[in-house]
């Protein structure tokens, strides 16, 4: 007997008026960025003197938004489907057709924060630590949007009681890997980083939370990829490794470098 939990089919479009449509995916980005903006404000205010003024956090939100969107789209184009977009370059800006990379979005945000801090003369590592604590909020909502869209579903799991039959995944029950990722990359990572911020002295080591975020995300993504179905046009790479795992490994290594260097620096007032 095949076990499966009914997939809660939700229209990806929340509201549609003529050519204007509000999609859950867009709301996920808005929710993640807005809540992250509020948390970064709070963390910046907690520092004496403040690492960022409220006005600077507002400006940073604009930069982070552009970094997320542009980086996410270009990351998908470069990492996941370069040959297709090389043959169809006019489709690169058509994000409403789907195709965003979380690794690309992360890289875009990193570049945006670097540029912002250099132009404003701010401490890159101290600003980065605050952004790192807030980042899992956006990851959580993004994965929920993937689930609503019925995309990026998991591998076949006929014996898992909570497996679901996704509309785009054939008539077989699969792992709801989007929810696994929302839990690992979003909830668990957020609780970890916020707990480290509130209850340990690591927040006084500039760059430590950036390192922990990179390590935590890389490990969470690598674990979730064990249950996620690889992109059909890529499949498994050498020895059953997925593209998501390949892209996560450098994040873990870079995160370890950030953490080790942070521990070697003198402690600062957060």
């Amino acid at each position: 007997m095949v076990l499966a939990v009914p997939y809660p089919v939700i229209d990806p479009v929340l509201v549609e008026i003529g050519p204007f449509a509000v999609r859950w995916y867009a709301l996920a980005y808005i929710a993640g960025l807005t809540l992250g903006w509020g948390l970064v404000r709070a963390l910046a205010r907690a520092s004496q003197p403040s690492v960022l003024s409220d006005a600077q956090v507002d400006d940073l939100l604009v930069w982070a938004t552009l970094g997320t969107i542009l980086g996410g789209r270009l990351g998908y184009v470069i990492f996941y489907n370069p040959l297709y977009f090389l043959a169809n370059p006019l489709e690169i800006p058509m994000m409403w057709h789907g195709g965003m990379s979380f690794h690309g979005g992360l890289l875009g945000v990193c570049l945006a924060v670097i540029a912002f801090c250099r132009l404003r003369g701010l401490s890159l590592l101290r600003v980065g630590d605050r952004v790192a604590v807030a980042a899992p909020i956006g990851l959580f909502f993004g994965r929920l949007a993937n689930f609503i869209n019925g995309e990026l579903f998991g591998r076949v799991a006929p014996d898992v009681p909570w497996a679901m039959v996704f509309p785009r995944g054939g008539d077989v029950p699969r792992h709801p890997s989007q929810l696994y990722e929302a839990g690992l990359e979003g909830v668990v990572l957020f609780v970890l980083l916020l707990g480290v911020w509130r209850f340990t002295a690591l927040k006084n080591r500039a760059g430590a939370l950036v390192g922990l975020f990179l390590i935590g995300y890389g490990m969470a993504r690598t674990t979730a990829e064990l249950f996620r179905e690889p992109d059909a046009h890529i499949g498994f790479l050498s020895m059953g490794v997925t593209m998501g795992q390949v892209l996560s490994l450098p994040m873990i290594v870079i995160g370890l470098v950030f953490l080790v260097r942070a521990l070697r620096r003198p402690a600062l007032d957060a």
Side-chain angles (χ1 to χ4, degrees), residues 76-178:
Y76 179 79
V77 170
I78 296 171
F79 299 143
Y80 288 92
N81 221 341
L83 295 180
Y84 175 82
F85 287 105
L86 187 62
N88 303 275
L90 294 180
E91 292 192 27
I92 292 178
M94 298 180 183
M95 290 179 285
W96 53 89
H97 289 170
M100 294 286 282
S101 162
F102 279 90
H103 289 96
L106 174 63
L107 182 59
V109 170
C110 289
L111 293 175
V113 172
I114 291 170
F116 179 82
C117 290
R118 287 188 174 181
L119 288 173
R120 303 300 173 88
L122 301 171
S123 170
L124 174 59
L125 292 178
R126 299 184 78 193
V127 172
D129 282 339
R130 286 146 183 82
V131 174
V133 176
I137 299 175
L139 296 173
F140 172 75
F141 283 105
R143 292 310 183 190
L144 289 186
N146 292 150
F147 180 74
I148 291 174
N149 287 350
E151 61 189 4
L152 307 183
F153 42 75
R155 303 181 192 180
V156 176
D159 300 322
V160 176
W162 55 84
M164 297 181 181
V165 177
F166 290 91
R168 304 184 191 180
D171 58 356
V172 293
R174 296 176 176 275
H175 285 286
S177 57
Q178 313 97 321

